[in-house]
Amino acid sequence: MTKKIDLTITHDYLNPFASPATPKLSPELVDYLSDSAWYHSELCLQIRCPQDERERLQQAISNTFEEKSEQLRGDIRSQRLVALILLGLALALALTGTALGIEGTIPVGVVTVTAWMLLWRSGEIFFLDIRSANRQLRKYQRIASASKQFD
């Protein structure tokens, strides 16, 4: 099912801080498109804008969401690295505690709880945070590649 998103473009649709060579959408328009496109697998943008702005608008949509996608890819790489570091720390802590032969209820409890917390957070990053970021990435890609119909 294709979700149609209606856009009426006026003079203030571009980000005023972006370079004229690489136009980008205004933050309000980005939020509107992101909110409208959330759970839909196919998108169609029905755009009402002046004839001379069409090419620039298409370029701005593409530039904006490609930049957001690239930032999100970097965030995903960082999250994976953090998760792997936490997993390694949990393993190192558990192995160190075992090698040192920690005995007694308090040291064993501290090592066990800390290792489980590190393990839990790394699992949370892999199974929740990265999954959510991938969903967001797919949304940005759908918006950038959406078919555009001009009125």
Side-chain angles (χ1 to χ4, degrees):
M1 180 176 183
T2 301
K3 164 74 174 175
K4 290 186 181 185
I5 300 173
D6 291 323
L7 295 174
T8 301
I9 300 301
T10 59
H11 63 283
D12 59 349
Y13 71 94
L14 290 177
N15 186 338
F17 303 109
S19 128
T22 57
K24 295 191 177 88
L25 298 176
S26 68
E28 294 83 12
L29 188 53
V30 171
D31 290 342
Y32 172 73
L33 286 172
S34 292
D35 291 344
S36 299
W38 188 241
Y39 292 110
H40 301 284
S41 59
E42 292 183 36
L43 299 174
C44 176
L45 302 178
Q46 295 214 261
I47 304 168
R48 283 181 286 296
C49 73
Q51 180 75 26
D52 57 337
E53 290 290 317
R54 290 180 180 180
E55 186 175 325
R56 197 162 117 181
L57 175 64
Q58 288 179 346
Q59 186 180 10
I61 291 171
S62 178
N63 289 344
T64 301
F65 288 101
E66 286 300 321
E67 179 185 6
K68 286 190 153 301
S69 295
E70 194 56 40
Q71 289 173 347
L72 203 50
R73 283 186 196 100
D75 292 346
I76 290 170
R77 284 190 295 272
S78 297
Q79 287 178 334
R80 283 185 184 139
L81 181 63
V82 167
L84 289 173
I85 288 170
L86 291 176
L87 191 60
L89 285 173
L91 183 61
L93 184 63
L95 290 175
T96 302
T98 303
L100 294 175
I102 296 177
E103 294 180 13
T105 58
I106 293 177
V108 170
V110 169
V111 168
T112 303
V113 168
T114 304
W116 272 110
M117 287 173 57
L118 293 170
L119 184 64
W120 184 270
R121 180 61 188 137
S122 66
E124 186 179 36
I125 290 171
F126 277 123
F127 296 118
L128 298 178
D129 297 349
I130 292 177
R131 186 174 177 189
S132 174
N134 281 329
R135 212 174 310 131
Q136 189 84 3
L137 182 62
R138 285 190 302 273
K139 177 178 70 169
Y140 291 157
Q141 291 169 343
R142 281 194 313 269
I143 294 171
S145 66
S147 64
K148 295 160 188 77
Q149 297 176 351
F150 292 96
D151 295 334

